[in-house]
Amino acid sequence: LDGRLANPTHPLWPFFESIHIISQPTFSSMYMAGQALFLAAGKILTGYFFGGVLLSTALFCAALTWFLRASVPPGWAFYGGMLAAIRIGAASYWNNSYWGGSVAALGGALALGAYLRLRKRWRPSTAFWFAIGVVLLANTRPYEGAGLSAVLCISLAWDFFRARDPRRWAALAVALAVFALAGWAMTRQFRAVTGNAFTLPYQVNQRAYGWPMTLPWSPVKKVEYRHPEFELYREFEVKEHEYLNTTSLIPFGLFIKYSRWWRFFFGVGWSAVFLFTTPILRTRRLRVIWIAAGVVFVMVASEQTGYPHYLAPAAPAILLFAVMGLRYLARSRFIAGPAMVRLIVPVWLALLGVRAVALSPRTPPSTLPNFASWCCMDARLRDRQPLLEKIAAQPGKHLVIVTYDLPSYDTFEWVYNEPDIDRSKVIWARDMGPEKNRELLAYYPDRRVWHILIRNRHAILQ
């Protein structure tokens, strides 16, 4: 939080290389700035970066209710916002980790909610929130957000020029001003991080390390790595990429994605809403909403892995679909329909209690964290964070040299550092062998040195 758009490359940067971080020409994340801005806001407002996660989720639930209010009666809009607060806010990895999801979903809710209102009346304030939503999508999920934004913008452009109402120009001017300001800020940040206003950090990371191989046309190239565990991570990326490009594996890859999405957004409790798919999708005034969400689904289906937060731009539309389905269920002739709708909240609250016990410190951690529906960070928090706190509690400054037991390396990374590495109380560095390590030790003569071996996600002090 020093006000820098990027951090200078460390003189000994090979020791601090890490997954999804670029070390040259600057020491920066490869991701867009949207999530980071919320984390920074959380740090400023609450003293903790996690405060930004809570803030983004709270704003998403509020914006979702606003979006739903333009589509369903007020009571159902509030009900949908409450369900999102429980499911997303309290019981999902979107709010229980730093992976994100809520910021992009907030952008989607603002863009979709403003779109429905702009179709009725072009107000400058509504156009402002539409533009803010699109900017948030561009700075969190740019690929999927571009699909959603394109559908909405094309529809609004058609409506704008067809009406030929001069009173609409004020609203258009507000939106264009927001887009212009955001474009200037984004290119300024890209230039600070990569040295080029039109080169994304994502592109620099791909050129340096060969990953992520997110899209079918992403190149699969051989890269010479300074650290053997990077080669193992590359093998993981290549294996995941094969589900996009190998004909025999594509059906299985799609099955994994769709089952993961179903578990996250619907599960057994909400699956009854699919009985009303036809009347929901036939709602004429929401046709563009369904088309935009469908475009996002197709785009995410074409991506590697396809975690639920990839669908975050379309999450408001998905939740609208669920709320409308529950409304149909409550009004249907099915005798248990109203009872099923009333029981959703108490059942979910009971499940929260069960999960709270399952994730308590007294319970042994699962070897396969249920990241797709609850919390993806549980195993790492139980291992790295306690060790970090134990070391940080010791007097003085510390240097932790990390060695990986390669046969047990499972892509859970331990070497991450603060933006200003040299000022950190605890520094994590990679073991590069006795000869090169001497250079590291000479650079930090005043630090207490710890050597740890990572085996099956557990740290063994040596």
Side-chain angles (χ1 to χ4, degrees), residues 232-275:
L232 296 178
Y233 183 80
R234 178 187 178 278
E235 291 177 6
F236 162 78
E237 288 275 350
V238 170
K239 183 177 179 181
E240 291 291 314
H241 192 71
E242 289 175 351
Y243 288 110
L244 293 178
N245 291 354
T246 304
T247 304
S248 60
L249 295 177
I250 289 177
F252 180 71
L254 290 175
F255 171 77
I256 294 297
K257 290 177 185 177
Y258 286 122
S259 62
R260 186 179 287 155
W261 301 342
W262 170 78
R263 286 175 57 206
F264 185 87
F265 289 106
F266 297 97
V268 176
W270 277 12
S271 293
V273 302
F274 289 105
L275 297 173

Side-chain angles (χ1 to χ4, degrees), residues 254-333:
L254 290 175
F255 171 77
I256 294 297
K257 290 177 185 177
Y258 286 122
S259 62
R260 186 179 287 155
W261 301 342
W262 170 78
R263 286 175 57 206
F264 185 87
F265 289 106
F266 297 97
V268 176
W270 277 12
S271 293
V273 302
F274 289 105
L275 297 173
F276 309 98
T277 298
T278 299
I280 292 173
L281 297 184
R282 281 181 177 175
T283 307
R284 187 177 182 85
R285 60 189 174 85
L286 297 176
R287 188 171 298 170
V288 173
I289 301 295
W290 306 137
I291 293 174
V295 169
V296 174
F297 266 90
V298 171
M299 295 177 77
V300 178
S302 71
E303 291 183 83
Q304 176 180 302
T305 310
Y307 291 125
H309 62 276
Y310 290 21
L311 283 172
I318 297 171
L319 293 171
L320 171 62
F321 180 93
V323 169
M324 293 181 69
L326 292 174
R327 188 182 178 206
Y328 276 113
L329 181 62
R331 296 162 54 188
S332 68
R333 296 180 180 179

Side-chain angles (χ1 to χ4, degrees), residues 10 44 88 103 113 153 207 222 225 240 320 333 384 390 411 449 457:
H10 194 278
I44 294 171
I88 304 296
V103 181
C153 288
R207 288 199 295 263
K222 186 67 175 177
Y225 300 110
E240 291 291 314
L320 171 62
R333 296 180 180 179
R384 187 183 187 275
K390 176 182 177 181
T411 75
V449 180
R457 298 182 187 167

Side-chain angles (χ1 to χ4, degrees), residues 66-275:
W66 178 70
F67 161 62
L68 294 175
R69 183 62 188 87
S71 312
V72 295
W76 283 98
F78 176 78
Y79 182 69
M82 181 175 59
L83 291 178
I86 298 173
R87 180 65 189 92
I88 304 296
S92 84
Y93 75 93
W94 286 14
N95 198 52
N96 292 328
S97 75
Y98 295 99
W99 270 24
S102 293
V103 181
L106 168 62
L110 291 175
L112 291 168
Y115 166 81
L116 291 175
R117 289 166 172 82
L118 287 172
R119 290 299 304 272
K120 295 179 181 180
R121 183 177 178 182
W122 281 68
R123 293 182 176 179
S125 59
T126 307
F128 172 81
W129 289 116
F130 176 80
I132 291 295
V134 172
V135 170
L136 283 176
L137 291 175
N139 283 278
T140 49
R141 304 298 314 173
Y143 177 65
E144 307 87 349
L148 184 96
S149 300
V151 173
L152 300 184
C153 288
I154 290 172
S155 176
L156 287 175
W158 173 262
D159 180 66
F160 181 89
F161 290 109
R162 184 180 60 177
R164 297 182 179 180
D165 185 350
R167 293 174 297 181
R168 297 186 173 191
W169 284 99
L172 178 62
V174 169
L176 292 178
V178 173
F179 290 147
L181 181 61
W184 170 81
M186 290 171 66
T187 54
R188 186 167 181 263
Q189 189 243 340
F190 295 158
R191 183 175 182 179
V193 173
T194 69
N196 188 308
F198 300 100
T199 299
L200 277 63
Y202 191 95
Q203 295 172 286
V204 174
N205 192 85
Q206 281 189 321
R207 288 199 295 263
Y209 300 108
W211 65 62
M213 306 170 193
T214 307
L215 300 171
W217 53 85
S218 297
V220 179
K221 60 180 182 179
K222 186 67 175 177
V223 179
E224 294 295 329
Y225 300 110
R226 282 166 285 273
H227 311 287
E229 58 269 24
F230 279 21
E231 181 63 41
L232 296 178
Y233 183 80
R234 178 187 178 278
E235 291 177 6
F236 162 78
E237 288 275 350
V238 170
K239 183 177 179 181
E240 291 291 314
H241 192 71
E242 289 175 351
Y243 288 110
L244 293 178
N245 291 354
T246 304
T247 304
S248 60
L249 295 177
I250 289 177
F252 180 71
L254 290 175
F255 171 77
I256 294 297
K257 290 177 185 177
Y258 286 122
S259 62
R260 186 179 287 155
W261 301 342
W262 170 78
R263 286 175 57 206
F264 185 87
F265 289 106
F266 297 97
V268 176
W270 277 12
S271 293
V273 302
F274 289 105
L275 297 173

